[in-house]
Amino acid sequence: MNHIKLVASDMDGTFMRDDKTFDHIRFGRILDRMKQAGAHFVIASGNQYAQLRLTMEEFADRVSYVSDNGAVVVHEGQQIYSAHVETRDLKVIYPIILNDPNLFTIVSGLKAAYIKKGSVTGPWKSLEPVLHHHFPCLEEVEDMMSIDDEITKASVVMDERKTMHYGQALAAKLPDSVRAVISGYGSVDIIPNGINKAFGLDILAKRLGVAKDECIAFGDASNDLALLSYCGCGYAMANAMDCVLEIADKQAPSNNDDGVLEVLDQLF
C-alpha cells in the first residue's frame, strides 16, 4: 500500500468518536509517518471550514480541508475553491424550509453561519450547545435574504426518525440546481447540484498531482458515498449506514474504536 498519497476522512461518525474527541498523540504520530511517505491527510466533511480548524487544533495547518460537503476546499491555509447557492435558488429554498415548524435551519456562508433571530426556542432550545460547537462563527439575522455572504449550503435539522422522509420530501421540492443530501441521522444539507465531497477532493487531488487510485477514504453517511466511490479504496466505518457499507471496498472499526487510526496505523 506504499502507493497511497492521499487519505480523506469524514469527521462526525468517522474520524471523531461520538463524544467529539480523538487520540491526538496517536494521530500526530501517524501524520509524521504519512509525511515521510509523501502522503496528505484531508478532512472531508459537511461541516464549515472554521469549525474543522478548531476541531483539529494543533494539526490545523498540517491537514487539508474539503468542507461544506465539497463547496469549500482549503490547502495550506489557502482557499483554492468555493461554490455557492445562487440568490434565485435561495428565494425558492427559504420559504420551503423556514416556514416548516418541524425543521430548524442553519445557513452556512464563507464568512459565518446564520440562523433566524429567535429561532432557538421551544423544542430547538436543546440545539444551542450543538450549534455553538459546529458553528463557531454564528450570527442571528432578521431576514435570511439580507445576508451579505456567499451561501455554501443550508442545513436543516429534524426528528432523526424522519430524516429519510424529509430528505426525500425536500428533494422533490427543490430547484434542479440544488440537491438535498442526508449528512447524518437528523440532518439534511441543501447544496449546489454537482457539488459533493468527491468533487472537492478531485480539485485538491489535481492540485497535488495525486491520482484517484492513490487515494483512500473513510466515511459513515450517505454524503460520503461519492467520496468512497471516487477513491481507489473506500472504507466504511463499522457504524456506517447500510448504503455506505454496501458500496465500500473495505470496512474499518467503528468511530468509537478509532477505526480510521487503526487502519492508518497498519498502512503507514
Side-chain angles (χ1 to χ4, degrees):
M1 299 293 286
N2 292 332
H3 67 283
I4 298 172
K5 297 301 179 186
L6 188 151
V7 175
S9 176
D10 172 52
M11 284 295 276
D12 297 316
T14 300
F15 185 79
M16 303 283 285
R17 303 166 184 144
D18 288 346
D19 63 2
K20 307 304 180 186
T21 64
F22 66 94
D23 189 330
H24 288 232
I25 294 175
R26 187 179 187 184
F27 181 57
R29 290 170 178 165
I30 290 171
L31 277 183
D32 289 340
R33 297 197 299 270
M34 287 182 63
K35 184 177 181 179
Q36 292 174 0
H40 303 270
F41 190 89
V42 183
I43 297 297
S45 172
N47 295 338
Q48 281 192 303
Y49 169 61
Q51 188 270 341
L52 296 174
R53 276 194 65 89
L54 286 176
T55 300
M56 295 312 293
E57 298 180 299
E58 71 266 36
F59 307 113
D61 292 320
R62 298 181 63 188
V63 302
S64 299
Y65 304 86
V66 173
S67 67
D68 296 85
N69 276 323
V72 178
V73 182
V74 177
H75 177 59
E76 295 182 340
Q78 297 295 316
Q79 180 180 297
I80 63 173
Y81 177 82
S82 69
H84 66 276
V85 182
E86 298 290 344
T87 301
R88 65 175 181 273
D89 293 325
L90 292 174
K91 290 179 179 179
V92 177
I93 295 166
Y94 284 154
I96 296 171
I97 59 179
L98 294 175
N99 296 330
D100 189 333
N102 298 304
L103 302 177
F104 183 88
T105 300
I106 311 105
V107 172
S108 297
L110 294 179
K111 301 175 186 176
Y114 310 89
I115 57 175
K116 195 165 179 59
K117 193 170 184 178
S119 60
V120 189
T121 57
W124 305 119
K125 189 68 176 175
S126 61
L127 287 177
E128 200 160 15
V130 179
L131 287 172
H132 289 288
H133 168 77
H134 283 287
F135 304 98
C137 302
L138 184 65
E139 297 182 14
E140 292 190 61
V141 297
E142 292 280 2
D143 178 16
M144 290 291 196
M145 284 305 304
S146 67
I147 295 171
D148 181 22
D149 200 350
E150 290 190 5
I151 303 305
T152 56
K153 68 171 183 174
S155 301
V156 287
V157 180
M158 71 287 296
D159 182 335
E160 70 175 56
R161 296 169 297 181
K162 299 180 180 179
T163 308
M164 293 301 296
H165 165 74
Y166 276 107
Q168 293 168 357
L170 287 170
K173 296 177 182 178
L174 295 174
D176 291 339
S177 50
V178 298
R179 62 195 184 94
V181 181
I182 296 173
S183 57
Y185 290 109
S187 61
V188 173
D189 288 340
I190 298 171
I191 58 178
N193 208 359
I195 301 297
N196 54 44
K197 294 182 183 182
F199 176 89
L201 189 67
D202 185 60
I203 291 172
L204 180 60
K206 287 176 178 174
R207 174 76 167 250
L208 297 172
V210 175
K212 294 180 182 180
D213 62 2
E214 295 176 312
C215 303
I216 67 170
F218 298 84
D220 74 300
S222 58
N223 66 338
D224 296 315
L225 291 172
L227 177 70
L228 300 189
S229 298
Y230 172 90
C231 294
C233 184
Y235 286 84
M237 310 308 291
N239 53 287
M241 292 179 176
D242 288 342
C243 60
V244 180
L245 291 166
E246 288 169 4
I247 68 99
D249 301 298
K250 296 185 180 182
Q251 184 172 312
S254 76
N255 64 317
N256 287 324
D257 293 322
D258 297 340
V260 173
L261 302 187
E262 284 289 325
V263 173
L264 294 183
D265 258 336
Q266 297 173 27
L267 297 179
F268 294 95

